[in-house]
Amino acid sequence: MLAQVRGEYYYIQKWAIDINLPVGYYTPKANIPFAPNYPNAVNAVFSHPDIKSGFTFGVNTQFSWFFGRLRNWGASIGIDYQRAYGTINLDNFHVEYRSTDNFSNTFRQVINGNGRLKESVRIHNLSIPIVFKYQTCFSKKVGFTADAGFLVN
């Protein structure tokens, strides 16, 4: 005769594979201080950068192992790929600053943007998440999971 006793948390598995597909639209507010990038800047005039059409998506896969009688605590390793892109517009850009040439002669450098500046930004990021996990279940279909760890880029 074979008998099996299951406790309250019998549906928490010892191994798990998590796959997440984050997708979203974003409109960040950028406050980029341009003047500190130019030594002894004078007559510096910069408009506020306008970030448009930002979009991000990715995939995150983790292999987890939970231990203990209740299997609440665990460790995980995986792979994470994120991609973001958008457009940055700058209406006005003018700066004059002190610069030095190859012969150590000092001169005034002038950079002036004629018209609107537009730059496309594309970001790709590949990481390996190494995390400790905590999980608990409130019912067979509802639970809570928390991760804490670091990413290796």
Side-chain angles (χ1 to χ4, degrees):
M1 179 174 208
L2 200 57
Q4 195 170 38
V5 178
R6 293 186 177 187
E8 182 182 0
Y9 297 96
Y10 72 90
Y11 36 85
I12 297 180
Q13 300 296 318
K14 191 172 188 175
W15 302 97
I17 296 175
D18 297 324
I19 299 173
N20 300 304
L21 302 170
V23 176
Y25 177 79
Y26 68 96
T27 56
K29 301 296 181 200
N31 187 9
I32 303 170
F34 292 111
N37 295 322
Y38 302 100
N40 299 323
V42 293
N43 299 327
V45 179
F46 309 109
S47 65
H48 185 73
D50 182 26
I51 301 175
K52 298 257 182 196
S53 65
F55 189 74
T56 181
F57 63 93
V59 63
N60 177 308
T61 304
Q62 292 184 10
F63 179 73
S64 306
W65 175 68
F66 294 94
F67 45 86
R69 184 178 68 82
L70 299 178
R71 297 183 181 145
N72 290 111
W73 296 97
S76 176
I77 189 167
I79 191 160
D80 182 34
Y81 172 75
Q82 299 292 325
R83 180 178 179 193
Y85 59 90
T87 304
I88 299 174
N89 298 314
L90 195 61
D91 291 328
N92 192 4
F93 188 91
H94 177 85
V95 65
E96 299 173 23
Y97 66 97
R98 186 181 70 198
S99 187
T100 307
D101 65 10
N102 292 339
F103 303 106
S104 298
N105 297 321
T106 302
F107 65 97
R108 179 180 283 194
Q109 177 75 42
V110 177
I111 300 175
N112 190 29
N114 295 328
R116 185 176 183 130
L117 302 174
K118 181 178 178 180
E119 182 174 338
S120 295
V121 178
R122 296 194 184 279
I123 301 167
H124 300 271
N125 187 23
L126 186 63
S127 304
I128 299 172
I130 301 172
V131 297
F132 294 101
K133 293 177 151 298
Y134 174 79
Q135 71 175 354
T136 187
C137 290
F138 304 121
S139 68
K140 287 187 178 184
K141 295 186 180 188
V142 178
F144 172 78
T145 302
D147 295 1
F150 56 93
L151 296 173
V152 178
N153 288 328

